């Protein structure tokens, strides 16, 4: 690397871009990091509700099992820089970490800003040049070789580029799809971006009636139009004005594709700790204990207040019916509603509100070991811009760390004179 005046340019100052820049600088490259925002890591700072679930404390194989889209593509990157390597990376730089339920890893401080600050300090220590400018196009010389980046303010000569601009979710953080356009100009196929890890819009008006209601310790089953189960989970969910959200729903959304062609149904078990026989006994006890009270009063001991009118409507048992007048058939309808509360999914929520974007640069056109473009020598990719996405739990940030690491190492070793990859 010594003696070369041309720099390596990283486009995008998010998680993947910062990791790529740090790694390339450690390898001896002169690195310029272009970030359109005034500050680095804007999206990183809001992850995990501001706490930053920065990875998942599990093996590479377990992590790959949580990547439903193109997980095999990540095998090399995850094998060489897994979640434990990512944890060591941050801890060696003074950031104390902790592992919580579901093996989710957070900074002890519960502050995403501490994660960003750790990365920013590393960039400064390694003398990475940080410039706040928006990249517009890649530049090529008369032979067609990559030779620079055109920004809105000026141009940046370089021998190679790492494109880490993210997807199109949370556009206020700078993820507006610039990278897709730049990659397409370089000849890459862009798999149409779709929302993943996003709320779901449901056809059922009851969701709006229960807006703001959070359910904990419930079980979720998702079925398609063929009644095939495509996802199961247990945990928390939230009703919104148009549908449902919450951790379980976000993970489920990663499995749902092509809403125009497919129809999905959510089946929620409101009492998963009880089988049908146990729940039947519970209902009998509650009805007997409140035999002179209204049915709506009995429901108050079973479900949250805002759900009572919904259950009355679904079971078709008038709320004023006395408990001792509830028939066996009505009791069966109540039991089935509690064990199988059904919602029909219409679509995903707005892609702008998705935690991650599904879609992006086709993995078929990227070397999985180096993240190098197969279309344009000297171009590399890292992070969400690539057509890979994972479930919640820190796995998407691990994709950023692993691909950023792989791209940074390979780009730092790129031999422009021979136009080939790592030496």
């Amino acid at each position: 690397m010594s003696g070369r005046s041309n720099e390596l340019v990283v486009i995008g100052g998010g998680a993947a871009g910062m990791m790529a820049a740090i790694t390339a600088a450690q390898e001896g490259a002169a690195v310029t990091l272009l970030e359109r925002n005034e500050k680095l890591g804007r999206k990183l700072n809001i992850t995990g509700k501001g706490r930053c679930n920065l990875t998942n404390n599990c093996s590479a194989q377990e992590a790959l099992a949580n990547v439903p889209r193109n997980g095999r593509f990540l095998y090399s990157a995850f094998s060489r820089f897994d979640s434990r390597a990512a944890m060591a990376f941050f801890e060696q730089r003074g950031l104390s970490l902790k592992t919580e339920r579901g093996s989710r890893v957070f900074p002890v401080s519960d502050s995403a800003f501490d994660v960003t600050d750790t990365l920013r300090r590393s960039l400064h220590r390694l003398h990475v040049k940080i410039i706040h400018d928006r990249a517009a196009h890649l530049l090529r010389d008369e032979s067609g070789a990559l030779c620079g980046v055109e920004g809105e303010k000026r141009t940046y000569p370089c021998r190679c580029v790492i494109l880490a601009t993210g997807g199109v979710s949370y556009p206020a953080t700078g993820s507006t799809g610039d990278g897709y356009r730049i990659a397409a100009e370089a000849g890459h196929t862009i798999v149409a971006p779709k929302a993943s890890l996003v709320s779901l819009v449901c056809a059922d008006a009851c969701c709006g009636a229960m807006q703001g209601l959070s359910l904990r310790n419930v079980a979720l089953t998702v079925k398609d139009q063929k009644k095939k189960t495509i996802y199961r989970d247990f945990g928390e969910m939230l009703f919104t004005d148009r549908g449902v959200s919450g951790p379980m729903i976000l993970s489920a959304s990663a499995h749902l594709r092509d809403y125009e062609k497919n129809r999905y149904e959510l089946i929620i078990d409101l009492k998963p700790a009880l089988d049908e026989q146990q729940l039947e006994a519970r209902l009998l006890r509650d009805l007997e204990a409140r035999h002179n009270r209204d049915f709506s009063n009995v429901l108050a001991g079973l479900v949250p207040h805002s759900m009572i009118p919904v259950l009355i409507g679904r079971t078709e048992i008038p709320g004023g019916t006395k408990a001792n007048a509830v028939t066996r058939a009505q009791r069966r309808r109540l039991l089935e509603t509690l064990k199988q509360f059904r919602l029909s999914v219409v679509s995903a929520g707005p892609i702008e509100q998705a935690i991650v974007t599904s879609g992006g640069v086709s993995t078929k056109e990227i070397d999985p070991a180096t993240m190098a473009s197969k279309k344009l020598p000297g171009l590399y990719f890292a992070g969400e811009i690539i057509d890979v996405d994972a479930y919640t739990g820190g796995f998407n940030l691990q994709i950023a760390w692993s691909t950023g690491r792989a791209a940074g190492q390979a780009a730092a070793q790129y031999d422009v004179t021979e136009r080939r990859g790592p030496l």
Side-chain angles (χ1 to χ4, degrees):
M1 292 296 299
S2 59
R4 293 180 184 170
S5 58
N6 290 343
E7 295 183 327
L8 182 160
V9 173
V10 177
I11 303 176
M18 286 190 281
M19 176 60 80
I22 290 168
T23 303
Q26 285 178 322
E27 296 287 321
V31 182
T32 296
L33 176 60
L34 295 185
E35 168 54 48
R36 58 181 292 184
N37 293 317
E38 293 181 3
K39 294 183 179 180
L40 301 175
R42 284 189 64 180
K43 186 176 178 182
L44 186 60
N45 286 336
I46 63 173
T47 60
K49 298 180 180 179
R51 296 178 62 216
C52 189
N53 177 195
L54 58 89
T55 189
N56 193 282
N57 191 356
C58 66
S59 68
Q61 289 293 341
E62 290 172 313
L64 287 169
N66 283 274
V67 184
R69 189 168 180 83
N70 295 324
R72 185 175 298 178
F73 170 82
L74 295 168
Y75 181 83
S76 176
F78 273 23
S79 296
R80 288 183 288 129
F81 195 76
D82 62 9
S83 61
R84 276 142 196 167
M87 292 171 66
F89 172 91
F90 284 101
E91 289 173 329
Q92 288 165 5
R93 286 160 179 78
L95 183 67
S96 297
L97 305 176
K98 61 181 177 180
T99 301
E100 297 187 356
R101 181 173 57 86
S103 299
R104 299 173 186 231
V105 179
F106 295 87
V108 170
S109 64
D110 285 328
S111 173
F113 289 99
D114 289 342
V115 178
T116 305
D117 286 345
T118 299
L119 294 166
R120 184 175 46 79
R121 286 194 300 269
S122 292
L123 291 167
H124 286 301
R125 277 197 300 267
L126 291 163
H127 307 292
V128 172
K129 188 185 298 183
I130 300 170
I131 298 177
H132 296 282
D133 192 2
R134 183 176 184 174
H137 306 282
L138 301 180
L139 298 176
R140 304 199 201 189
D141 62 21
E142 60 279 359
S143 70
L146 181 61
C147 66
V149 177
E150 178 186 342
E152 290 184 341
K153 297 178 181 178
R154 65 181 182 87
T155 61
Y156 305 90
C158 62
R159 59 187 178 77
C160 57
V161 171
I162 299 175
L163 203 49
T165 53
V168 290
S169 57
Y170 292 120
T173 65
S175 299
T176 55
D178 286 0
Y180 298 150
R181 176 183 51 76
I182 293 172
E185 289 176 354
H188 278 276
T189 302
I190 307 300
V191 178
K194 295 182 179 181
S196 186
L197 301 188
V198 68
S199 61
L200 296 175
V201 178
C202 297
D204 311 80
C206 68
C207 294
M210 296 185 287
Q211 180 181 357
L213 172 62
S214 178
L215 299 178
R216 295 186 177 184
N217 301 319
V218 295
L220 172 69
T221 301
V222 183
K223 294 192 175 185
D224 62 15
Q225 67 270 26
K226 296 179 181 179
K227 306 301 181 183
K228 178 183 177 182
T229 297
I230 59 173
Y231 186 73
R232 293 183 186 273
D233 203 354
F234 177 87
E236 301 177 23
M237 61 173 288
L238 171 74
F239 288 98
T240 69
D241 60 335
R242 300 179 62 203
V244 286
S245 188
M248 277 200 310
I249 302 300
L250 297 181
S251 291
S253 72
H255 295 263
L256 312 189
R257 312 277 176 181
D258 298 323
Y259 295 90
E260 299 80 9
K261 298 179 181 178
N262 300 313
R263 294 290 178 267
Y264 299 104
E265 184 176 44
L266 309 180
I267 304 171
I268 304 158
D269 186 346
L270 300 171
K271 299 294 179 182
L274 304 176
D275 61 25
E276 287 197 6
Q277 186 176 358
Q278 291 170 326
L279 182 56
E280 170 75 4
R282 162 78 184 274
L283 295 180
L284 284 169
R285 287 198 305 271
D286 285 2
L287 290 167
E288 184 177 343
R290 298 172 175 84
H291 62 279
N292 285 325
R293 297 192 181 185
D294 292 346
F295 175 63
S296 58
N297 182 273
V298 176
L299 289 179
L302 291 168
V303 297
H305 180 75
S306 60
M307 187 172 268
I308 292 175
V310 176
L311 285 190
I312 288 173
R314 291 207 171 191
T315 60
E316 299 180 340
I317 305 172
T321 302
K322 294 302 179 182
N324 58 11
V326 173
T327 67
R328 180 177 181 179
Q330 289 175 325
R331 192 172 71 245
R332 182 64 193 179
R333 288 204 300 273
L334 173 59
L335 183 148
E336 290 177 349
T337 304
L338 291 170
K339 294 296 287 184
Q340 299 182 39
F341 189 91
R342 296 173 181 268
L343 297 170
S344 299
V345 178
V346 174
S347 67
I351 193 169
E352 296 81 8
Q353 297 175 13
I355 294 177
V356 298
T357 304
S358 175
V361 180
S362 173
T363 56
K364 296 177 182 178
E365 300 169 355
I366 304 173
D367 184 327
T370 63
M371 301 298 136
S373 165
K374 295 180 180 180
K375 297 286 186 177
L376 178 61
L379 176 61
Y380 298 79
F381 298 97
E384 196 176 344
I385 191 174
I386 303 170
D387 182 24
V388 288
D389 59 272
Y391 304 141
T392 56
F395 301 106
N396 285 289
L397 273 178
Q398 184 57 47
I399 291 174
W401 310 136
S402 296
T403 58
R405 189 77 169 181
Q409 289 176 332
Q413 299 175 50
Y414 178 69
D415 189 336
V416 69
T417 59
E418 298 183 29
R419 294 186 188 173
R420 59 184 175 86
L423 300 173

